Each structure stands twice: as C-alpha cells, then as structure tokens.
Amino acid sequence: MKLRDLPIPLDRRIPFVSAVVDVIEGRGDIATAIELLVAAELRCGVAIWTDLAGSESQMAAGSFVPVNSATPPTLRETMDLIRRWEDFERVFRSADADPRADALDAGVARLLGETHLVLSGMDFTNDTFVRAVDGTVAGWTQRAWGAFLARWANGVGWGPLSNERGKRHVWDYADFYHLNDQYIEHYTRWREVVMDVLHQKTLRAMGDAGGR
C-alpha cells in the first residue's frame, strides 16, 4: 500500500470503535464493547463467533445453509458440527447462489458499517465464522475476506486515503492480507481487544441457554 495519511485513524464516532479504544487506553471495560457489538449484530441479523474448535476445526470457506430450514442447528450444535465435517455436510449444504448467502453477506456489510470491525485476513479468517439468524454460516479464505473488505471500503469510502498521485485509493483484496500499526492506528492492540471481545462474547453465548 503506497498511500498518504497513514495510519488510518480509528473512528471514535462509531460507538463500538470508541468502546474498544477506551479499553486500549485503559478507560473502559470489555463488557461495554461486547454489549455494543451484540446490539449491532442483532440489528444486522448476523453475528461473528470465535471458532472454539481451534485446531480441531474443519470449517471450510464458503457459505452453508441448513438442510432443514425449519429447525436450523443452534450455535452450540453448529460449533460441534464444525469439528466433524462429515456430520456437518449432512446438516448443511453449500449455498450455491442461495439468497440466504446473499442476505448474510449484506448483513456482514451492514455490520462493518455499524462497527468498523476491520481485521486483516490473517487475523480474521483462521479463528472466526459468521452465523445468520436463519442458521446460515460462512467462512472466508484470506483472499476472499480481503476482497469482501475491499468492496465494502470502496463502497462506503472508508479511509479516507489518497495514493501518491493524489487520487482516491481503490482498495484491493491484497491491502487487507496483513495490517499493522503503520496502516491502522493502534492496530496491534485493536486486533487483540477485538479478538478478545469476540472470544468472550462467544463463551458467554455458549453458556447462555445452551448456545441458541
């Protein structure tokens, strides 16, 4: 990235960003950031979860819809299925242009707009997945997540940044492979706090009425 005006400042006008910055600067607690993220996820109809399966995870990139849409797997059941891919494929099928996959993508884009939860492909894709209220789940490769962020950033004018020729920078998937403090203000601490928010939010949801 050869850009002017780096690093990109964290936009404290966004409530979730402000709450994370408060944690970074020692003025706030993580519970506030969790509450703000959960509220935004409820408005957008999608939620980001830490994949608790860790090294046992077999979550693949792509979007997957429940075979039985009337009774989709709970969050806890989905977490369990991610460890056993043969069982996962009996309960979910590839979206294959299913409108539910498009709805999930739209929800994620809206969630990005509400939270500016920007993480590099390296940080986001290894340990997280997204689940919609209808049970649709999705994971990304680093390239696919970078392309998703680039489309969102170009669409909303995130930045704002110009290149060395003074023209508006057009984001590309490769811009989001690896992010650091040179590109985004306090990125190292931002990543650490946001990943902690996601992890603690997931643990809380899994312990709440069986992870519905």
Side-chain angles (χ1 to χ4, degrees), residues 7-209:
I8 300 167
L10 295 172
D11 190 346
R12 291 159 174 81
R13 296 171 299 176
I14 305 297
F16 176 70
V17 174
S18 181
V20 172
V21 171
D22 283 348
V23 175
I24 291 172
E25 297 180 348
R27 297 192 309 272
D29 62 80
I30 202 165
T32 300
I34 292 173
E35 291 170 3
L36 288 167
L37 178 57
V38 169
E41 289 174 333
L42 288 172
R43 289 191 296 271
C44 298
V46 296
I48 303 171
W49 302 106
T50 299
D51 184 352
L52 299 179
S55 61
E56 296 180 4
S57 175
Q58 298 185 41
M59 181 69 191
S63 296
F64 304 90
V65 295
V67 172
N68 186 346
S69 59
T71 56
T74 65
L75 175 61
R76 181 180 294 279
E77 290 167 343
T78 300
M79 287 279 189
D80 189 46
L81 288 164
I82 285 172
R83 300 171 187 264
R84 309 187 317 273
W85 193 250
E86 288 184 3
D87 292 333
F88 183 95
E89 289 185 306
R90 295 189 187 98
V91 180
F92 289 91
R93 62 173 177 81
S94 178
D96 289 333
D98 189 295
R100 286 173 288 181
D102 294 335
L104 182 144
D105 285 350
V108 174
R110 182 181 172 193
L111 184 62
L112 286 171
E114 290 209 17
T115 64
H116 286 202
L117 199 157
V118 174
L119 293 169
S120 73
M122 177 71 74
D123 297 320
F124 184 80
T125 59
N126 292 330
D127 299 307
T128 62
F129 67 94
V130 172
R131 180 174 180 267
V133 292
D134 62 8
T136 302
V137 295
W140 285 263
T141 63
Q142 290 185 33
R143 177 170 181 148
W145 179 244
F148 192 97
L149 283 178
R151 287 193 299 272
W152 170 76
N154 290 326
V156 302
W158 182 76
L161 289 169
S162 56
N163 60 27
E164 292 178 325
R165 296 184 297 278
K167 295 183 179 180
R168 179 79 194 178
H169 178 65
V170 178
W171 295 101
D172 181 76
Y173 72 89
D175 291 329
F176 295 101
Y177 266 4
H178 302 287
L179 296 172
N180 57 40
D181 293 1
Q182 294 180 338
Y183 296 130
I184 295 180
E185 177 188 14
H186 302 312
Y187 180 76
T188 300
R189 284 292 291 135
W190 164 263
R191 178 197 66 217
E192 290 172 353
V193 174
V194 170
M195 294 303 288
D196 195 21
V197 166
L198 295 174
H199 186 70
Q200 292 198 34
K201 176 176 75 81
T202 302
L203 292 177
R204 185 172 73 177
M206 292 290 285
D208 179 15

